[in-house]
Amino acid sequence: MILIYAGAYQGKLDFARKNFGIKDEDICYCNSDMESIDFGKKVIYGLEKFIYGYEKRGQSADEYIRAQLPLMKDKIIICEDISRGLVPMDKLERAWRETNGRVVNAVAAEADEVYTVFCGIESRIK
């Protein structure tokens, strides 16, 4: 598993396309309305949006993702870092931020490689 984790608009998907030969048909684009992830795709993009949807519905994205980790062994997971900056005033957004952190920690622990991207420049951190 490869995890690419960085802030918004930093070039995460461009990095994956360039370095891992990703095409559009390889990507599962996550959104907050999804109940499950298409693990038939090579790339899971926008995991934070999927997690937000689970939080909004009062479901546990943490449990879902941990149960699916075996299906993610050969995937590239791309997730936005929402942990920086001011702590949100909104209760839902705080819960989302916390859950996203727990999920990304679990994914990173299982990942063979972890990258961050800043201003289009990648750094391998694991």
Side-chain angles (χ1 to χ4, degrees):
M1 179 189 326
I2 297 170
L3 172 63
I4 303 170
Y5 185 70
Y9 312 108
Q10 295 301 314
K12 299 177 290 293
L13 188 54
D14 289 340
F15 164 69
R17 284 185 169 129
K18 182 176 88 176
N19 290 280
F20 303 109
I22 303 305
K23 299 178 181 117
D24 275 338
E25 59 267 17
D26 298 327
I27 304 169
C28 170
Y29 290 94
C30 294
N31 64 60
S32 61
D33 296 327
M34 297 171 70
E35 294 284 330
S36 61
I37 293 173
D38 181 357
F39 292 106
K41 302 285 188 172
K42 183 175 182 179
V43 177
I44 298 160
Y45 177 77
L47 184 63
E48 76 285 348
K49 294 174 185 139
F50 176 81
I51 293 167
Y52 181 79
Y54 261 61
E55 279 300 320
K56 191 173 167 184
R57 292 187 297 274
Q59 298 172 300
S60 176
D62 195 11
E63 287 179 20
Y64 175 84
I65 296 296
R66 287 176 191 272
Q68 305 307 317
L69 283 172
L71 297 175
M72 299 168 77
K73 292 289 185 191
D74 62 342
K75 307 296 178 213
I76 298 171
I77 313 300
I78 301 175
C79 187
E80 188 174 311
D81 179 359
I82 61 166
S83 67
R84 298 178 192 215
L86 298 174
V87 175
M89 296 288 290
D90 182 75
K91 183 179 178 179
L92 171 61
E93 290 190 9
R94 283 195 312 273
W96 170 44
R97 185 172 167 158
E98 183 178 329
T99 300
N100 196 71
R102 282 196 311 272
V103 168
V104 171
N105 279 326
V107 171
E110 295 293 320
D112 300 309
E113 301 173 39
V114 177
Y115 295 89
T116 189
V117 181
F118 184 71
C119 295
I121 302 168
E122 74 274 0
S123 297
R124 184 173 176 171
I125 56 177
K126 176 181 178 185

